């Protein structure tokens, strides 16, 4: 009886009124899994279980987990770049030290997005439709180029050089975010061999790196 009720509910949810709500629920459940279990343990089945749905109902909205994760990454990417653009207004005269502190703070606040960046090119972008990927890429370049132009004017350098700085910081941050993430499998492996790696300070590491990169134009 429960499955029958769920099926009826999901037919109604396919209307325009409820589809966005369903997609939001799917993204929220997937993001929770992304933050708590290894990537390979995330499947459409585990996402459906997290939602309390059947896999068949989930298939009415998505066909791969990467489609969902790409949408989550797009949301987080938008918030990251909007934060950068707001923090570095046009015509600002920040010193390199101040800029590094501000940028590192934004990176720290968006550390979860940095983990998504680490998975984008090698994993997520290889298992979505070209239409979805084109939409994501357009959104990325619109935002990234807006900040590139802001950074170019701020530092008095060519736009290509500003874009390279932006990418270097993004990729370094994504690598650091993955290292700072406490993967439960890694934690168990380290406990078995009695190893306790030195603690990492994401904010301080990023502040030092951003400052170095801004000064090395």
């Amino acid at each position: 009886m429960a499955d029958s009720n769920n099926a009826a509910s999901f037919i109604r949810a396919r209307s325009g009124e409820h589809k966005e709500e369903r997609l939001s629920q799917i993204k929220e459940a997937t993001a929770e899994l992304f933050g708590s279990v290894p990537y390979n343990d995330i499947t459409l089945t585990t996402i459906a279980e997290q939602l309390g749905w059947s896999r068949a109902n989930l298939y009415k909205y998505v066909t791969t987990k990467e489609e969902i994760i790409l949408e989550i990454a797009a949301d987080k990417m938008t918030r990251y770049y909007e934060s950068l653009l707001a923090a570095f207004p046009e015509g600002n005269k920040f010193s390199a030290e101040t800029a590094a502190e501000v940028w590192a703070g934004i990176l720290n606040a968006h550390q979860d997005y940095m983990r998504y960046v680490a998975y984008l090119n090698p994993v997520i972008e290889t298992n979505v439709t070209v239409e979805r990927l084109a939409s994501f890429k357009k959104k990325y370049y619109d935002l990234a180029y807006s900040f590139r132009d802001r950074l170019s004017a701020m530092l008095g350098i060519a736009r290509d050089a500003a874009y390279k700085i932006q990418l270097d910081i993004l990729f370094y941050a994504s690598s650091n975010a993955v290292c700072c993430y406490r993967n439960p499998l890694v934690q168990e492996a380290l406990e078995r061999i009695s190893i306790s790696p030195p603690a990492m300070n994401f904010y301080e590491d990023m502040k030092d790196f951003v400052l170095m990169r801004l000064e090395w134009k």
Side-chain angles (χ1 to χ4, degrees), residues 119-136:
Y119 286 92
L120 277 173
N121 184 265
V123 180
I124 299 169
E125 294 181 358
T126 64
N127 199 24
V128 294
T129 65
V130 68
E131 290 79 14
R132 288 179 184 271
L133 189 55
S135 176
F136 175 81

Side-chain angles (χ1 to χ4, degrees), residues 27 31 71-86 106 109-110 112-113 116 139 143:
K27 289 192 289 185
E71 291 297 319
I72 299 170
D75 293 342
K76 292 181 181 293
M77 173 182 70
T78 299
R79 290 193 288 270
Y80 169 65
Y81 279 105
E82 287 179 346
S83 295
L84 285 174
L85 289 165
I106 292 171
H110 295 269
D112 58 339
Y113 167 57
Y116 282 82
K139 187 176 296 184
L143 291 164

Side-chain angles (χ1 to χ4, degrees), residues 148-160:
R148 172 204 64 185
D149 295 347
R150 187 76 53 87
L151 193 60
S152 170
M154 179 178 129
L155 299 176
I157 59 176
R159 291 190 300 174
D160 285 352

Side-chain angles (χ1 to χ4, degrees), residues 5-56:
N5 289 339
N6 278 343
S9 173
F10 274 79
I11 290 171
R12 290 194 300 272
R14 294 188 68 180
S15 69
E17 182 181 353
H18 293 112
K19 188 171 182 180
E20 285 303 314
E21 180 184 347
R22 293 299 194 199
L23 290 173
S24 178
Q25 291 171 345
I26 292 168
K27 289 192 289 185
E28 183 179 347
T30 306
E32 288 175 1
L33 289 170
F34 189 86
S36 60
V37 302
Y39 184 83
N40 287 342
D41 288 350
I42 303 173
T43 65
L44 290 182
T45 298
T46 59
I47 294 168
E49 290 173 350
Q50 182 84 354
L51 287 159
W53 299 0
S54 71
R55 182 165 170 150

